[in-house]
Amino acid sequence: MSLQFHSVPVTPFQQNCTLLWCEDSKRAAVVDPGGDIDKILAAVEERGLKLEKILLTHGHLDHVGGTAALSKQLQLPVEGPHQDDNFWIEQLPVQAQMFGFPAVEVFTPNRWLEQGDTVSVGDEELEVHHCPGHTPGHVVFFHRQSKLALVGDVLFAGSIGRTDFPQGDHDTLIRSIKKRLWPLGDEVRFVPGHGPMSTFGQERQTNPFVADKRFG
Ligand SMILES: [Zn+2]
Ligand SMILES: [Zn+2]
């Protein structure tokens, strides 16, 4: 398989910042650099990768807090999330204060993403799926050949994202999971924003929030 990945837990929230790279070219993207940039760059160096961009699933601090600094330091373009999360990005300084994080800078992504877009990592391509509910502009990245999804805070092993934030909505989140994620296939493995990996098939069987038996 030509697309490789490695997750690095960052910030006090242990957010899964994930390196994605094309094995042929060693060109890489960092998905959701929430903070702890040194830790991320060490993982990049260890593998001999060349970072070419930053991809973002949504605008929450623990996922994007390191974006401005990292993109400045290495001149990296930022792709994602969907524009509906711009209000979260604009509020980053407030989020940082609220959670006792070091001060973070606001940034403007070079590219907002939409349902049906694709993003490249080296010679590989990932599909973009817009999955609102946890935040209105949340996107999921899907590599069809290796059946790997990076789902941010949409879905976790045994749980789903919180919906009690501004513009969060529980029914919308459930619909995103059922209409946008399940059709990608039961065998799809996913890296969630926090905690261990799982598969869509496993969650359809046992996740108390979205298991098929809940919906009959
Ligand atoms: Zn979040
Ligand atoms: Zn999170």
Side-chain angles (χ1 to χ4, degrees):
M1 215 58 83
S2 185
L3 185 84
Q4 308 284 325
F5 69 98
H6 174 75
S7 294
V8 183
V10 296
T11 83
F13 294 133
Q14 292 293 288
Q15 193 275 120
N16 288 323
C17 170
T18 302
L19 293 174
L20 281 179
W21 70 94
C22 162
E23 189 60 32
D24 300 332
S25 67
K26 297 284 182 191
R27 284 184 291 163
V30 53
V31 184
D32 288 357
D36 299 336
I37 290 175
D38 293 348
K39 222 170 139 184
I40 299 169
L41 291 178
V44 169
E45 195 165 331
E46 207 176 300
R47 289 164 182 78
L49 306 176
K50 183 174 177 344
L51 272 187
E52 62 177 9
K53 67 175 67 172
I54 295 171
L55 298 174
L56 302 176
T57 62
H58 67 296
H60 281 162
L61 177 65
D62 54 322
H63 294 253
V64 307
T67 302
L70 188 61
S71 83
K72 253 189 208 159
Q73 191 176 330
L74 297 180
Q75 310 277 308
L76 301 175
V78 179
E79 299 184 20
H82 183 284
Q83 191 153 17
D84 287 353
D85 264 21
N86 195 29
F87 77 103
W88 276 118
I89 295 170
E90 286 174 340
Q91 287 174 22
L92 276 175
V94 182
Q95 293 190 59
Q97 217 169 28
M98 209 159 70
F99 291 107
F101 274 51
V104 293
E105 267 180 80
V106 172
F107 59 91
T108 306
N110 299 81
R111 180 187 176 201
W112 295 110
L113 297 174
E114 310 250 5
Q115 172 68 23
D117 278 350
T118 58
V119 293
S120 65
V121 178
D123 304 324
E124 299 296 318
E125 270 201 345
L126 291 97
E127 300 170 9
V128 173
H129 295 270
H130 183 205
C131 294
H134 174 66
T135 65
H138 201 303
V139 297
V140 162
F141 299 105
F142 178 56
H143 188 249
R144 195 165 282 274
Q145 289 89 328
S146 52
K147 297 188 189 302
L148 176 76
L150 283 82
V151 304
D153 288 351
V154 171
L155 179 69
F156 304 109
S159 190
I160 58 172
R162 288 172 61 169
T163 52
D164 56 336
F165 296 118
Q167 296 190 42
D169 185 72
H170 181 80
D171 292 343
T172 305
L173 180 63
I174 300 289
R175 201 164 346 137
S176 287
I177 294 169
K178 292 174 68 183
K179 296 263 153 58
R180 294 261 154 91
L181 298 188
W182 289 174
L184 302 179
D186 283 356
E187 62 288 18
V188 171
R189 295 174 304 156
F190 66 92
V191 180
H194 308 262
M197 291 184 69
S198 179
T199 64
F200 290 164
Q202 178 67 33
E203 298 313 304
R204 288 185 75 157
Q205 275 183 10
T206 60
N207 189 311
F209 298 94
V210 283
D212 292 348
K213 60 176 185 288
R214 248 188 87 91
F215 301 99

